[in-house]
Amino acid sequence: MKTAVITGASRGIGAAIAMKLAKEGYFVAVNFCKNEEAALQVVKNIRNAGGKAEAFCADVCDAAQVEKMIQQVLDISGEINLLVNNAGISSHGLLQDMTEKDYDHIFDINMKGVFLCTKAVLPAMIKQKSGSVINISSMWGIAGASCEVLYSASKAAVIGFTKALAKEVGPSGIRVNCIAPGLIDTEMNACLSDEDKHQMINETPIERMGAGEDIANAVCFLVNDEQAGFITGQVLSVDGGYII
Ligand code: NAP
C-alpha cells in the first residue's frame, strides 16, 4: 500500500485530497496543526469509506514536530510515496499595514513549512529512488494579487522551490510539481463577501468556484507515474481559466 502525507488535511482542499487519495488506495497521513477534532473526522470519513488513514499533529513550521511526524509515518508504513504540501494561510490588507510579524507568520507556514516537510521526507524517497512531492501554490503566486502581496510572494516562492528541487532530485527518481488553484470554496475564502465571490466567478471562464475535489483530481493526475511520469518542475493551474 502506497503512503501519502497531506499537510493541512483537517479541512478544505487538504481534506478533499486526503479523501481522494484514500479512495485511490493510499494509506493517508492526515496532518493538522490546531483542529484535532476536524482531522479525526476526516480520518473517520476515510475509514467509513473503506480507506486507511491516521491523523498526525504537527505545526509545519516547527522542524522537530515535522521530523517526529514523518518518523511516525515511516514507523507505520515503512515508506512515503507522496508528500502534498498543502497547509497554508492567507492574509489580506495593504502592504504598508503589514508588520514584520505578519511577514514571518505567512512565510513560516506557506514557505518554511514546505521546506521543512520536504526536507524531512526526502531521505526516505531518495533511498526508495522514487517519490512525488506536490506543492499547493496559488494563482496569485503566478499573477500577484493586490492587497495580498505577502501571500502572493510566499506562493511565488513555492513555485521557485518546486522548479529548483525538481532539477535537484529528478536524478533520484523523485518528481516535484506544483498546483496553482484559483478560487476554491473553502473556509479560507469565508472572509470574501458574496459580491466579491460573484465578481471573481464572472471573471472565471468556467463560471464557478472550484471545489477541493478539483484540486484532488489534479493531485491524482500528477502523482500517477503512468499519466505524469515525464512531468516534473511544472505548475498546473486549476483555476477555471481565471489566469490565462
Ligand atoms: P483552509 O480551509 O483554511 O485550511 C487550511 C489547512 O491548513 C487546515 O487544515 C489547517 O489545519 C492547516 N494549517 C494551517 N496552519 C498550519 C500549520 N502551521 N501546520 C499544519 N497545518 C496548518 O485552506 P484551504 O482553502 O483548504 O487551502 C489549502 C491550500 O490551498 C493553502 O496552501 C492555500 O494557500 C491554497 N490555496 C487555496 C485557495 C482557495 O481559494 N481556497 C486558492 C489558492 C490556493 P488546522 O486547522 O488544524 O490548523
Side-chain angles (χ1 to χ4, degrees):
M1 185 177 239
K2 287 188 172 181
T3 299
V5 176
I6 322 296
T7 68
S10 58
R11 63 172 188 269
I13 293 171
I17 295 170
M19 192 51 126
K20 176 81 184 174
L21 286 168
K23 280 189 188 144
E24 295 282 311
Y26 279 79
F27 163 60
V28 180
V30 173
N31 161 256
F32 68 98
C33 181
K34 295 188 184 126
N35 206 334
E36 182 172 23
E37 206 180 314
L40 291 175
Q41 187 59 50
V42 172
V43 169
K44 199 172 164 190
N45 293 344
I46 288 173
R47 290 181 182 162
N48 286 344
K52 216 173 154 223
E54 205 75 59
F56 295 88
C57 180
D59 182 337
V60 292
C61 41
D62 183 313
Q65 290 184 32
V66 167
E67 279 160 27
K68 190 175 162 201
M69 169 178 73
I70 296 304
Q71 194 51 57
Q72 285 171 336
V73 176
L74 284 169
D75 288 346
I76 293 173
S77 66
E79 60 178 14
I80 294 175
N81 309 92
L82 168 64
L83 166 68
V84 183
N85 282 309
N86 166 77
I89 54 163
S90 60
S91 81
H92 298 260
L94 293 172
L95 185 75
Q96 63 256 40
D97 295 332
M98 294 292 145
T99 62
E100 189 179 352
K101 209 171 152 199
D102 293 329
Y103 175 94
D104 286 342
H105 187 51
I106 197 152
F107 271 81
D108 269 358
I109 297 175
N110 290 3
M111 181 57 238
K112 186 178 161 187
V114 172
F115 160 61
L116 291 176
C117 293
T118 307
K119 186 173 149 75
V121 302
L122 277 183
M125 288 186 177
I126 289 169
K127 206 166 146 200
Q128 292 157 206
K129 277 221 141 262
S130 70
S132 188
V133 176
I134 300 176
N135 299 320
I136 308 300
S137 175
S138 164
M139 63 177 174
W140 300 135
I142 300 171
S146 165
C147 295
E148 290 188 75
V149 174
L150 295 181
Y151 178 75
S152 301
S154 70
K155 291 299 186 178
V158 169
I159 292 174
F161 180 94
T162 301
K163 292 181 179 180
L165 186 67
K167 290 181 180 172
E168 191 168 305
V169 299
S172 300
I174 302 162
R175 294 186 299 106
V176 187
N177 287 292
C178 193
I179 294 172
L183 182 67
I184 309 297
D185 195 3
T186 70
E187 275 178 43
M188 186 171 271
N189 290 316
C191 56
L192 294 179
S193 67
D194 283 349
E195 200 189 332
D196 288 340
K197 285 184 194 168
H198 282 129
Q199 195 188 330
M200 285 188 74
I201 290 167
N202 281 339
E203 291 167 20
T204 304
I206 299 291
E207 291 185 322
R208 65 169 172 88
M209 281 180 93
E213 288 72 22
D214 291 310
I215 308 304
N217 290 335
V219 168
C220 286
F221 164 67
L222 285 174
V223 74
N224 187 317
D225 280 331
E226 233 167 81
Q227 292 172 347
F230 203 46
I231 299 177
T232 196
Q234 300 304 305
V235 184
L236 177 58
S237 288
V238 183
D239 64 1
Y242 192 94
I243 305 285
I244 294 177

